[in-house]
Amino acid sequence: MTLSQVSTVVHDPASVDDAITSRFSTRAFLPRPVPRETIEQILQVASRAPSGTNTQPWKVYVLQGDSLRSLSDKVCAAHDAIYADPQLAQDYREEYEYYPRKWVSPYIDRRRENGWSLYGLLGIAKGEKDKMHAQHQRNYRFFDAPLGFMFTIDRILERGSLLDYGMFLENIMVAARGRGLHTCPQAAWNGYAKIVLPHIGAGPDEMLVCGMSMGYADEAALVNGFHTPREPVASFTRWLG
């Protein structure tokens, strides 16, 4: 810790709050490029995330241009193949369980509300599997963002490091908002690690944590009007003492 860290005064807490509360999973981006200097600034700020014994377990791959488009083509082809033959899904598995094996309330209720609210906004009715597939595949096009990120972690690390990683990812998203950018964190890529990891040049000791899209939001896109609700503080807080 430096003296400046101890003595720094945040003079505009409202801006900090705005950067956090205006973050949402953006699902439509403009093609406008993001300067490399801006990306480096965001990652440098994000690296101040806390981690147990300062392990700093994150490793970042930034995709743009041909590398982004090529990965998208590969994964979209696999995604289409699975849609045509669901048995192929056995060849694509997540290396860690992101979601619970058994869904219970209230989590399953929030999940359903999230999915049907998004599809409802987009005019996708229950049972319209082709439209659902097409919308889900937007993940693998990074929602047309000019930047795609892949995050990996050393396989030797344990669940505590994934907690640290989450704080690093949140820092990225908040720092991006401070620079007028939007993001979408994406666990959708995890099942395609066997395609992603060789593409980005990750070593055999690395595990895919998630992907992320980043860029300037398309404010005219209908899908960007979708914002998920949050529980009130009273519903998840218990005061003791």
Side-chain angles (χ1 to χ4, degrees), residues 10-236:
V10 178
H11 293 285
D12 185 12
S15 291
V16 178
D17 292 351
D18 286 345
I20 295 171
T21 57
S22 65
R23 184 219 64 80
F24 73 103
S25 293
T26 304
R27 293 180 173 88
F29 292 87
L30 299 172
R32 178 181 169 188
V34 180
R36 176 168 176 165
E37 180 183 6
T38 300
I39 304 167
E40 290 177 341
Q41 290 173 354
I42 290 170
L43 294 174
Q44 186 63 55
V45 169
S47 72
R48 292 304 310 174
S51 59
T53 64
N54 200 32
T55 49
Q56 303 176 68
W58 35 81
K59 189 167 185 179
V60 184
Y61 296 85
V62 184
L63 296 98
Q64 51 194 332
D66 290 342
S67 65
L68 183 151
R69 287 186 290 271
S70 177
L71 178 61
S72 291
D73 288 345
K74 293 175 186 177
V75 174
C76 284
H79 186 238
D80 283 338
I82 292 171
Y83 186 57
D85 182 3
Q87 289 188 342
L88 293 177
Q90 300 176 14
D91 297 331
Y92 299 94
R93 294 187 178 276
E94 298 178 344
E95 293 191 68
Y96 71 96
E97 297 290 343
Y98 186 92
Y99 293 109
R101 292 184 176 89
K102 180 181 179 181
W103 286 95
V104 297
S105 292
Y107 315 112
I108 185 61
D109 307 310
R110 294 169 185 164
R111 177 182 174 89
R112 286 170 176 162
E113 179 187 19
N114 182 74
W116 291 120
S117 294
L118 175 61
Y119 287 150
L121 177 67
L122 297 175
I124 301 174
K126 189 174 183 178
E128 292 186 306
K129 295 182 179 180
D130 288 351
K131 291 182 179 179
M132 292 179 186
H133 174 75
Q135 178 58 34
H136 187 68
Q137 192 166 101
R138 295 281 296 145
N139 277 279
Y140 309 125
R141 294 294 179 188
F142 293 100
F143 300 106
D144 298 326
L147 288 171
F149 293 77
M150 289 296 158
F151 302 95
T152 70
I153 191 171
D154 195 310
R155 296 176 189 277
I156 200 172
L157 298 175
E158 296 289 351
R159 282 190 289 180
S161 291
L162 288 175
L163 176 64
D164 300 338
Y165 221 121
M167 291 184 278
F168 172 68
L169 295 171
E170 177 70 5
N171 274 4
I172 290 175
M173 292 183 279
V174 172
R177 286 301 303 120
R179 291 160 175 80
L181 298 164
H182 278 282
T183 56
C184 185
Q186 299 167 269
W189 291 94
N190 293 8
Y192 296 96
K194 64 184 293 184
I195 297 174
V196 173
L197 294 175
H199 181 89
I200 62 178
D205 58 337
E206 293 176 60
M207 181 179 75
L208 183 62
V209 174
C210 68
M212 183 184 291
S213 302
M214 182 187 291
Y216 294 95
D218 182 351
E219 296 182 9
L222 178 65
V223 71
N224 282 340
F226 176 65
H227 301 286
T228 53
R230 291 294 186 272
E231 292 294 311
V233 172
S235 73
F236 59 79

